[in-house]
Amino acid sequence: MGSIVEEADSSQPHVLLFPFMSKGHTIPLLHFARLLLRRHVTLTLITTPANRPFISHSLRHHPAAAVIDIPFPTDVPGIPAGVESTDQLPSMSLFSKFAAATARMQPHLERVLATLPLPRVSLMVSDGFLWWTLQSASKFDIPRLVYYGMSCHANALTREAFVSGVFSGPQHRDELVPLTRFPWIRVCKNDFPPEFSDSDPTSLAAQFHTDVVTSAVKSFGTLVNSFYELEPVFVDYLSQNSTPHAYYCVGPLCLAEEEIDTRNLQEAFPKKASWIEWLDKKHEESRTCGVVYVAFGSQAEISHEQLKEIAYGLEESQVPFLWVIRRKEWESQLPEGFEERVGDKGMIVRDWVDQREILNHEGVKGFVSHCGWNSVLEAVCAGVPILAMPMMAEQYLNARMVEEEMKVGMRVETCDGSVRGFVRREGVRKKVRELMMVEGEKGEEVRRKVGEVAEMAKKAVEDGGSSWRTLENLLVETCKKKKT
Ligand code: UDP
């Protein structure tokens, strides 16, 4: 099936993408870039010098994509020179300072906008965290679409919790209260970032949230990395109740696979990473149970004590595991003799991995995840059930989505039953064994369910599917706006 954009208008839109400087926010927009480039849309992507290599490498098969970098502010207190991505921050407590500093990039963005070659930019898609880009877009009369790296479920629950006074209520941070519009869902203050219930509206974090929301409501719509059939209740709720009204669900974006050039042998048959070879071997050996993949995204912080309990829990589960450790210093915090004891039963990787390749490996049958939204979608698309261990941001809501709405996973047990509580080794061991169908019945249920959702996801992005149609409509609207 051809693209209706091509049929409707020969003058293609020019889309400018500006992702926030964190891997979890950049990666999905790079997938989105691929979708646009396949439709012959003129594409300009804005980034910073230190983020450019990652972006250029990701788009290496697309010479038509123009990648432009603008300087990241220097002399930001607490942020070491050269750190231009949240995964490089010495601590995530610096996030608000980092995000606030991006506003100093505004004059550079506007210089770029003033000098970009034709065709004129017809749409700006910029991250919600880069709230100030709306001002630049408005100056140049460019419609701006907000990209939030989260689901409509998390967005809708946050909105509804504000509206129903959850944050200002007198209840304890862990007390569950039902949401008026979604009475089957009960949330507590601890499901949301602490600053939402902070009494100080002048804090940097609170001010940042206000700026993000204020600029989002003045934008013409929201681009969502999700698909309608996954969360119709929440997409409809947002479309009917919030401003802006247009929610464009064009995902799962991780399904925008790279088209490999089979003339290039190295690209077609790249050398396998050592962990993929290990997975091949494990798959041969233990076809029944499979390997559990353990990873907590690009920026999670884990205390020494928590890391140790996860390690002991994995060891005691007796399930083969592949654990990607983000920070080198975590290595020294593992229990003494851990790797020797585990031997070939587990593999610890200290590199950046291709997570989608791991999740799509036939030997991987479960995923212990922090529930970053990309990780959730990548697991769902690969048909891999999730053991949720949320750590920050909207991940507590995503864990609810995984367990209570999609029913494609379960949650680790915290020692006091609270959402942010400490997880002991027994909690990890028991749930890993359930997830991997070594004991209990829940594992089988979630595995079946995730297979069904994976099928729905594929259908949504196929030609004619809901996400495919939404993107087509968005581009047609963009072409129309361009003409007026
Ligand atoms: N990722 C990856 N390799 C790594 C670590 C992370 O490919 O070694 C990717 C992962 O597949 C996902 C993104 O980085 O696309 C992380 O986003 P997510 O929303 O899951 O979590 P965040 O890092 O934002 O907390």
Side-chain angles (χ1 to χ4, degrees), residues 22-25 27 293 296-300 324 351-356 370-376 378 395:
S22 77
K23 296 286 185 294
H25 286 233
I27 291 170
Y293 169 53
F296 304 112
S298 63
Q299 55 189 23
V324 176
D351 291 300
W352 180 264
V353 297
D354 181 340
Q355 176 160 295
R356 285 181 306 132
H370 70 314
C371 288
W373 185 238
N374 297 298
S375 292
V376 170
E378 288 161 7
Q395 293 157 14

PDB file of all heavy atoms in Angstrom, residues 22-25 27 293 296-300 324 351-356 370-376 378 395, ligand 1:
ATOM      1  N   SER A  22      18.522  12.547  26.424  1.00  0.00           N
ATOM      2  CA  SER A  22      18.650  11.312  27.202  1.00  0.00           C
ATOM      3  C   SER A  22      18.319  10.186  26.241  1.00  0.00           C
ATOM      4  O   SER A  22      17.552  10.385  25.290  1.00  0.00           O
ATOM      5  CB  SER A  22      17.704  11.315  28.408  1.00  0.00           C
ATOM      6  OG  SER A  22      16.397  11.041  27.991  1.00  0.00           O
ATOM      7  N   LYS A  23      18.907   9.028  26.476  1.00  0.00           N
ATOM      8  CA  LYS A  23      18.754   7.927  25.509  1.00  0.00           C
ATOM      9  C   LYS A  23      17.280   7.521  25.372  1.00  0.00           C
ATOM     10  O   LYS A  23      16.779   7.300  24.275  1.00  0.00           O
ATOM     11  CB  LYS A  23      19.584   6.713  25.945  1.00  0.00           C
ATOM     12  CG  LYS A  23      21.082   6.957  25.955  1.00  0.00           C
ATOM     13  CD  LYS A  23      21.639   7.003  24.546  1.00  0.00           C
ATOM     14  CE  LYS A  23      23.149   7.131  24.515  1.00  0.00           C
ATOM     15  NZ  LYS A  23      23.683   8.399  25.046  1.00  0.00           N
ATOM     16  N   GLY A  24      16.588   7.449  26.512  1.00  0.00           N
ATOM     17  CA  GLY A  24      15.190   7.007  26.491  1.00  0.00           C
ATOM     18  C   GLY A  24      14.278   7.954  25.720  1.00  0.00           C
ATOM     19  O   GLY A  24      13.212   7.551  25.260  1.00  0.00           O
ATOM     20  N   HIS A  25      14.671   9.219  25.605  1.00  0.00           N
ATOM     21  CA  HIS A  25      13.857  10.176  24.858  1.00  0.00           C
ATOM     22  C   HIS A  25      14.326  10.278  23.404  1.00  0.00           C
ATOM     23  O   HIS A  25      13.545  10.620  22.525  1.00  0.00           O
ATOM     24  CB  HIS A  25      13.920  11.567  25.516  1.00  0.00           C
ATOM     25  CG  HIS A  25      13.126  11.642  26.787  1.00  0.00           C
ATOM     26  ND1 HIS A  25      12.170  12.591  27.026  1.00  0.00           N
ATOM     27  CD2 HIS A  25      13.133  10.855  27.890  1.00  0.00           C
ATOM     28  CE1 HIS A  25      11.635  12.401  28.218  1.00  0.00           C
ATOM     29  NE2 HIS A  25      12.216  11.352  28.762  1.00  0.00           N
ATOM     30  N   ILE A  27      16.022   7.774  21.500  1.00  0.00           N
ATOM     31  CA  ILE A  27      15.890   6.554  20.688  1.00  0.00           C
ATOM     32  C   ILE A  27      14.534   6.471  19.973  1.00  0.00           C
ATOM     33  O   ILE A  27      14.487   6.258  18.761  1.00  0.00           O
ATOM     34  CB  ILE A  27      16.199   5.285  21.530  1.00  0.00           C
ATOM     35  CG1 ILE A  27      17.686   5.265  21.866  1.00  0.00           C
ATOM     36  CG2 ILE A  27      15.775   4.003  20.822  1.00  0.00           C
ATOM     37  CD1 ILE A  27      18.100   4.208  22.891  1.00  0.00           C
ATOM     38  N   TYR A 293      16.347 -11.811  31.115  1.00  0.00           N
ATOM     39  CA  TYR A 293      17.180 -10.646  30.813  1.00  0.00           C
ATOM     40  C   TYR A 293      16.915  -9.606  31.900  1.00  0.00           C
ATOM     41  O   TYR A 293      15.752  -9.339  32.249  1.00  0.00           O
ATOM     42  CB  TYR A 293      16.793 -10.122  29.426  1.00  0.00           C
ATOM     43  CG  TYR A 293      17.353  -8.768  29.053  1.00  0.00           C
ATOM     44  CD1 TYR A 293      18.711  -8.505  29.137  1.00  0.00           C
ATOM     45  CD2 TYR A 293      16.506  -7.748  28.583  1.00  0.00           C
ATOM     46  CE1 TYR A 293      19.220  -7.262  28.780  1.00  0.00           C
ATOM     47  CE2 TYR A 293      17.003  -6.512  28.218  1.00  0.00           C
ATOM     48  CZ  TYR A 293      18.363  -6.273  28.326  1.00  0.00           C
ATOM     49  OH  TYR A 293      18.862  -5.042  27.980  1.00  0.00           O
ATOM     50  N   PHE A 296      18.083  -2.192  33.660  1.00  0.00           N
ATOM     51  CA  PHE A 296      17.322  -1.089  34.258  1.00  0.00           C
ATOM     52  C   PHE A 296      17.497   0.221  33.499  1.00  0.00           C
ATOM     53  O   PHE A 296      17.515   1.297  34.094  1.00  0.00           O
ATOM     54  CB  PHE A 296      17.703  -0.958  35.742  1.00  0.00           C
ATOM     55  CG  PHE A 296      17.513  -2.242  36.524  1.00  0.00           C
ATOM     56  CD1 PHE A 296      18.599  -2.962  37.023  1.00  0.00           C
ATOM     57  CD2 PHE A 296      16.236  -2.751  36.717  1.00  0.00           C
ATOM     58  CE1 PHE A 296      18.419  -4.150  37.717  1.00  0.00           C
ATOM     59  CE2 PHE A 296      16.039  -3.949  37.409  1.00  0.00           C
ATOM     60  CZ  PHE A 296      17.131  -4.646  37.909  1.00  0.00           C
ATOM     61  N   GLY A 297      17.658   0.117  32.176  1.00  0.00           N
ATOM     62  CA  GLY A 297      17.655   1.320  31.349  1.00  0.00           C
ATOM     63  C   GLY A 297      18.959   2.091  31.392  1.00  0.00           C
ATOM     64  O   GLY A 297      19.989   1.588  31.838  1.00  0.00           O
ATOM     65  N   SER A 298      18.877   3.335  30.935  1.00  0.00           N
ATOM     66  CA  SER A 298      20.106   4.102  30.726  1.00  0.00           C
ATOM     67  C   SER A 298      20.440   5.053  31.867  1.00  0.00           C
ATOM     68  O   SER A 298      21.500   5.653  31.873  1.00  0.00           O
ATOM     69  CB  SER A 298      19.967   4.898  29.431  1.00  0.00           C
ATOM     70  OG  SER A 298      18.910   5.834  29.548  1.00  0.00           O
ATOM     71  N   GLN A 299      19.532   5.229  32.839  1.00  0.00           N
ATOM     72  CA  GLN A 299      19.851   6.233  33.851  1.00  0.00           C
ATOM     73  C   GLN A 299      19.439   5.894  35.288  1.00  0.00           C
ATOM     74  O   GLN A 299      19.602   6.734  36.179  1.00  0.00           O
ATOM     75  CB  GLN A 299      19.254   7.579  33.436  1.00  0.00           C
ATOM     76  CG  GLN A 299      17.756   7.516  33.158  1.00  0.00           C
ATOM     77  CD  GLN A 299      17.196   8.801  32.544  1.00  0.00           C
ATOM     78  OE1 GLN A 299      17.922   9.581  31.937  1.00  0.00           O
ATOM     79  NE2 GLN A 299      15.913   9.017  32.710  1.00  0.00           N
ATOM     80  N   ALA A 300      18.954   4.677  35.505  1.00  0.00           N
ATOM     81  CA  ALA A 300      18.492   4.333  36.862  1.00  0.00           C
ATOM     82  C   ALA A 300      19.664   4.302  37.846  1.00  0.00           C
ATOM     83  O   ALA A 300      20.783   3.965  37.482  1.00  0.00           O
ATOM     84  CB  ALA A 300      17.803   2.975  36.838  1.00  0.00           C
ATOM     85  N   VAL A 324      22.561  -6.680  32.339  1.00  0.00           N
ATOM     86  CA  VAL A 324      23.328  -5.547  31.819  1.00  0.00           C
ATOM     87  C   VAL A 324      23.484  -4.521  32.931  1.00  0.00           C
ATOM     88  O   VAL A 324      22.507  -3.989  33.462  1.00  0.00           O
ATOM     89  CB  VAL A 324      22.642  -4.913  30.583  1.00  0.00           C
ATOM     90  CG1 VAL A 324      23.401  -3.685  30.131  1.00  0.00           C
ATOM     91  CG2 VAL A 324      22.568  -5.921  29.462  1.00  0.00           C
ATOM     92  N   ASP A 351      28.619  -3.346  28.809  1.00  0.00           N
ATOM     93  CA  ASP A 351      28.613  -2.470  27.625  1.00  0.00           C
ATOM     94  C   ASP A 351      27.214  -1.981  27.308  1.00  0.00           C
ATOM     95  O   ASP A 351      26.234  -2.506  27.826  1.00  0.00           O
ATOM     96  CB  ASP A 351      29.091  -3.258  26.394  1.00  0.00           C
ATOM     97  CG  ASP A 351      30.551  -3.588  26.490  1.00  0.00           C
ATOM     98  OD1 ASP A 351      31.349  -2.659  26.578  1.00  0.00           O
ATOM     99  OD2 ASP A 351      30.880  -4.796  26.502  1.00  0.00           O
ATOM    100  N   TRP A 352      27.170  -1.044  26.394  1.00  0.00           N
ATOM    101  CA  TRP A 352      25.889  -0.666  25.788  1.00  0.00           C
ATOM    102  C   TRP A 352      25.498  -1.820  24.874  1.00  0.00           C
ATOM    103  O   TRP A 352      26.313  -2.292  24.077  1.00  0.00           O
ATOM    104  CB  TRP A 352      26.058   0.628  24.989  1.00  0.00           C
ATOM    105  CG  TRP A 352      24.789   1.069  24.332  1.00  0.00           C
ATOM    106  CD1 TRP A 352      24.411   0.819  23.037  1.00  0.00           C
ATOM    107  CD2 TRP A 352      23.725   1.819  24.914  1.00  0.00           C
ATOM    108  NE1 TRP A 352      23.170   1.366  22.794  1.00  0.00           N
ATOM    109  CE2 TRP A 352      22.721   1.988  23.926  1.00  0.00           C
ATOM    110  CE3 TRP A 352      23.501   2.361  26.183  1.00  0.00           C
ATOM    111  CZ2 TRP A 352      21.530   2.671  24.172  1.00  0.00           C
ATOM    112  CZ3 TRP A 352      22.324   3.045  26.414  1.00  0.00           C
ATOM    113  CH2 TRP A 352      21.349   3.197  25.422  1.00  0.00           C
ATOM    114  N   VAL A 353      24.291  -2.316  25.020  1.00  0.00           N
ATOM    115  CA  VAL A 353      23.862  -3.464  24.217  1.00  0.00           C
ATOM    116  C   VAL A 353      22.751  -3.024  23.265  1.00  0.00           C
ATOM    117  O   VAL A 353      22.183  -1.947  23.437  1.00  0.00           O
ATOM    118  CB  VAL A 353      23.302  -4.596  25.112  1.00  0.00           C
ATOM    119  CG1 VAL A 353      24.367  -5.139  26.042  1.00  0.00           C
ATOM    120  CG2 VAL A 353      22.083  -4.110  25.911  1.00  0.00           C
ATOM    121  N   ASP A 354      22.454  -3.860  22.298  1.00  0.00           N
ATOM    122  CA  ASP A 354      21.267  -3.629  21.476  1.00  0.00           C
ATOM    123  C   ASP A 354      20.129  -4.359  22.200  1.00  0.00           C
ATOM    124  O   ASP A 354      19.961  -5.568  22.055  1.00  0.00           O
ATOM    125  CB  ASP A 354      21.508  -4.194  20.067  1.00  0.00           C
ATOM    126  CG  ASP A 354      20.313  -3.958  19.153  1.00  0.00           C
ATOM    127  OD1 ASP A 354      19.203  -3.715  19.671  1.00  0.00           O
ATOM    128  OD2 ASP A 354      20.486  -4.028  17.920  1.00  0.00           O
ATOM    129  N   GLN A 355      19.408  -3.623  23.010  1.00  0.00           N
ATOM    130  CA  GLN A 355      18.389  -4.257  23.872  1.00  0.00           C
ATOM    131  C   GLN A 355      17.320  -4.987  23.065  1.00  0.00           C
ATOM    132  O   GLN A 355      16.834  -6.037  23.458  1.00  0.00           O
ATOM    133  CB  GLN A 355      17.750  -3.199  24.770  1.00  0.00           C
ATOM    134  CG  GLN A 355      16.629  -3.753  25.618  1.00  0.00           C
ATOM    135  CD  GLN A 355      16.311  -2.912  26.818  1.00  0.00           C
ATOM    136  OE1 GLN A 355      17.127  -2.755  27.719  1.00  0.00           O
ATOM    137  NE2 GLN A 355      15.126  -2.357  26.856  1.00  0.00           N
ATOM    138  N   ARG A 356      16.956  -4.401  21.928  1.00  0.00           N
ATOM    139  CA  ARG A 356      15.894  -5.038  21.136  1.00  0.00           C
ATOM    140  C   ARG A 356      16.373  -6.374  20.588  1.00  0.00           C
ATOM    141  O   ARG A 356      15.626  -7.339  20.496  1.00  0.00           O
ATOM    142  CB  ARG A 356      15.437  -4.102  20.012  1.00  0.00           C
ATOM    143  CG  ARG A 356      14.558  -2.965  20.565  1.00  0.00           C
ATOM    144  CD  ARG A 356      14.095  -2.064  19.468  1.00  0.00           C
ATOM    145  NE  ARG A 356      15.205  -1.570  18.708  1.00  0.00           N
ATOM    146  CZ  ARG A 356      15.280  -1.564  17.384  1.00  0.00           C
ATOM    147  NH1 ARG A 356      14.293  -2.033  16.669  1.00  0.00           N
ATOM    148  NH2 ARG A 356      16.344  -1.098  16.776  1.00  0.00           N
ATOM    149  N   HIS A 370      13.107  -2.029  34.846  1.00  0.00           N
ATOM    150  CA  HIS A 370      12.725  -0.852  35.642  1.00  0.00           C
ATOM    151  C   HIS A 370      11.445  -0.217  35.084  1.00  0.00           C
ATOM    152  O   HIS A 370      10.905   0.687  35.683  1.00  0.00           O
ATOM    153  CB  HIS A 370      13.860   0.162  35.621  1.00  0.00           C
ATOM    154  CG  HIS A 370      14.067   0.831  34.289  1.00  0.00           C
ATOM    155  ND1 HIS A 370      14.103   0.139  33.089  1.00  0.00           N
ATOM    156  CD2 HIS A 370      14.211   2.134  33.949  1.00  0.00           C
ATOM    157  CE1 HIS A 370      14.281   0.987  32.098  1.00  0.00           C
ATOM    158  NE2 HIS A 370      14.350   2.206  32.586  1.00  0.00           N
ATOM    159  N   CYS A 371      11.003  -0.705  33.929  1.00  0.00           N
ATOM    160  CA  CYS A 371       9.763  -0.220  33.308  1.00  0.00           C
ATOM    161  C   CYS A 371       9.855   1.189  32.752  1.00  0.00           C
ATOM    162  O   CYS A 371       8.877   1.963  32.825  1.00  0.00           O
ATOM    163  CB  CYS A 371       8.570  -0.331  34.264  1.00  0.00           C
ATOM    164  SG  CYS A 371       8.058  -2.013  34.485  1.00  0.00           S
ATOM    165  N   GLY A 372      11.010   1.571  32.220  1.00  0.00           N
ATOM    166  CA  GLY A 372      11.042   2.742  31.348  1.00  0.00           C
ATOM    167  C   GLY A 372      10.083   2.412  30.207  1.00  0.00           C
ATOM    168  O   GLY A 372       9.980   1.240  29.809  1.00  0.00           O
ATOM    169  N   TRP A 373       9.387   3.407  29.676  1.00  0.00           N
ATOM    170  CA  TRP A 373       8.329   3.104  28.704  1.00  0.00           C
ATOM    171  C   TRP A 373       8.881   2.412  27.459  1.00  0.00           C
ATOM    172  O   TRP A 373       8.247   1.529  26.882  1.00  0.00           O
ATOM    173  CB  TRP A 373       7.539   4.356  28.352  1.00  0.00           C
ATOM    174  CG  TRP A 373       6.377   4.081  27.448  1.00  0.00           C
ATOM    175  CD1 TRP A 373       6.148   4.634  26.227  1.00  0.00           C
ATOM    176  CD2 TRP A 373       5.288   3.157  27.674  1.00  0.00           C
ATOM    177  NE1 TRP A 373       4.983   4.123  25.685  1.00  0.00           N
ATOM    178  CE2 TRP A 373       4.439   3.216  26.556  1.00  0.00           C
ATOM    179  CE3 TRP A 373       4.966   2.290  28.723  1.00  0.00           C
ATOM    180  CZ2 TRP A 373       3.285   2.442  26.451  1.00  0.00           C
ATOM    181  CZ3 TRP A 373       3.815   1.512  28.613  1.00  0.00           C
ATOM    182  CH2 TRP A 373       2.987   1.597  27.485  1.00  0.00           C
ATOM    183  N   ASN A 374      10.107   2.788  27.039  1.00  0.00           N
ATOM    184  CA  ASN A 374      10.674   2.120  25.855  1.00  0.00           C
ATOM    185  C   ASN A 374      10.919   0.646  26.138  1.00  0.00           C
ATOM    186  O   ASN A 374      10.631  -0.209  25.306  1.00  0.00           O
ATOM    187  CB  ASN A 374      12.006   2.764  25.454  1.00  0.00           C
ATOM    188  CG  ASN A 374      11.820   4.198  25.050  1.00  0.00           C
ATOM    189  OD1 ASN A 374      11.122   4.493  24.087  1.00  0.00           O
ATOM    190  ND2 ASN A 374      12.410   5.108  25.802  1.00  0.00           N
ATOM    191  N   SER A 375      11.448   0.367  27.318  1.00  0.00           N
ATOM    192  CA  SER A 375      11.726  -1.034  27.658  1.00  0.00           C
ATOM    193  C   SER A 375      10.438  -1.833  27.689  1.00  0.00           C
ATOM    194  O   SER A 375      10.389  -2.971  27.218  1.00  0.00           O
ATOM    195  CB  SER A 375      12.439  -1.128  29.007  1.00  0.00           C
ATOM    196  OG  SER A 375      13.736  -0.589  28.898  1.00  0.00           O
ATOM    197  N   VAL A 376       9.383  -1.231  28.237  1.00  0.00           N
ATOM    198  CA  VAL A 376       8.094  -1.937  28.291  1.00  0.00           C
ATOM    199  C   VAL A 376       7.634  -2.258  26.871  1.00  0.00           C
ATOM    200  O   VAL A 376       7.289  -3.408  26.550  1.00  0.00           O
ATOM    201  CB  VAL A 376       7.026  -1.082  29.030  1.00  0.00           C
ATOM    202  CG1 VAL A 376       5.644  -1.693  28.874  1.00  0.00           C
ATOM    203  CG2 VAL A 376       7.385  -0.949  30.503  1.00  0.00           C
ATOM    204  N   GLU A 378       9.364  -2.376  24.088  1.00  0.00           N
ATOM    205  CA  GLU A 378      10.272  -3.301  23.397  1.00  0.00           C
ATOM    206  C   GLU A 378      10.017  -4.739  23.832  1.00  0.00           C
ATOM    207  O   GLU A 378      10.038  -5.665  23.013  1.00  0.00           O
ATOM    208  CB  GLU A 378      11.734  -2.886  23.659  1.00  0.00           C
ATOM    209  CG  GLU A 378      12.104  -1.615  22.905  1.00  0.00           C
ATOM    210  CD  GLU A 378      13.338  -0.880  23.440  1.00  0.00           C
ATOM    211  OE1 GLU A 378      14.022  -1.414  24.332  1.00  0.00           O
ATOM    212  OE2 GLU A 378      13.607   0.234  22.965  1.00  0.00           O
ATOM    213  N   GLN A 395       7.844   5.384  36.101  1.00  0.00           N
ATOM    214  CA  GLN A 395       7.998   3.926  36.024  1.00  0.00           C
ATOM    215  C   GLN A 395       7.061   3.178  36.979  1.00  0.00           C
ATOM    216  O   GLN A 395       6.690   2.034  36.727  1.00  0.00           O
ATOM    217  CB  GLN A 395       9.457   3.551  36.308  1.00  0.00           C
ATOM    218  CG  GLN A 395      10.408   4.041  35.222  1.00  0.00           C
ATOM    219  CD  GLN A 395      11.834   4.189  35.704  1.00  0.00           C
ATOM    220  OE1 GLN A 395      12.199   3.708  36.765  1.00  0.00           O
ATOM    221  NE2 GLN A 395      12.659   4.870  34.909  1.00  0.00           N
TER     222      GLN A 395
HETATM  223  N1  UDP B   1      19.122   0.744  25.755  1.00  0.00           N
HETATM  224  C1  UDP B   1      19.887   0.005  24.908  1.00  0.00           C
HETATM  225  N2  UDP B   1      21.043  -0.524  25.385  1.00  0.00           N
HETATM  226  C2  UDP B   1      21.458  -0.359  26.653  1.00  0.00           C
HETATM  227  C3  UDP B   1      20.646   0.396  27.536  1.00  0.00           C
HETATM  228  C4  UDP B   1      19.481   0.935  27.054  1.00  0.00           C
HETATM  229  O1  UDP B   1      19.548  -0.199  23.719  1.00  0.00           O
HETATM  230  O2  UDP B   1      22.516  -0.897  27.001  1.00  0.00           O
HETATM  231  C5  UDP B   1      17.902   1.383  25.213  1.00  0.00           C
HETATM  232  C6  UDP B   1      16.633   0.596  25.475  1.00  0.00           C
HETATM  233  O3  UDP B   1      16.449  -0.397  24.495  1.00  0.00           O
HETATM  234  C7  UDP B   1      15.595   1.700  25.433  1.00  0.00           C
HETATM  235  C8  UDP B   1      16.325   2.900  25.985  1.00  0.00           C
HETATM  236  O4  UDP B   1      17.713   2.621  25.859  1.00  0.00           O
HETATM  237  O5  UDP B   1      15.228   1.964  24.102  1.00  0.00           O
HETATM  238  C9  UDP B   1      16.027   3.156  27.447  1.00  0.00           C
HETATM  239  O6  UDP B   1      14.759   3.717  27.541  1.00  0.00           O
HETATM  240  P1  UDP B   1      13.759   3.343  28.703  1.00  0.00           P
HETATM  241  O7  UDP B   1      12.539   4.186  28.507  1.00  0.00           O
HETATM  242  O8  UDP B   1      13.534   1.886  28.760  1.00  0.00           O
HETATM  243  O9  UDP B   1      14.506   3.725  30.044  1.00  0.00           O
HETATM  244  P2  UDP B   1      15.350   5.015  30.504  1.00  0.00           P
HETATM  245  O10 UDP B   1      16.749   4.757  30.120  1.00  0.00           O
HETATM  246  O11 UDP B   1      14.765   6.215  29.823  1.00  0.00           O
HETATM  247  O12 UDP B   1      15.149   5.021  31.970  1.00  0.00           O
END
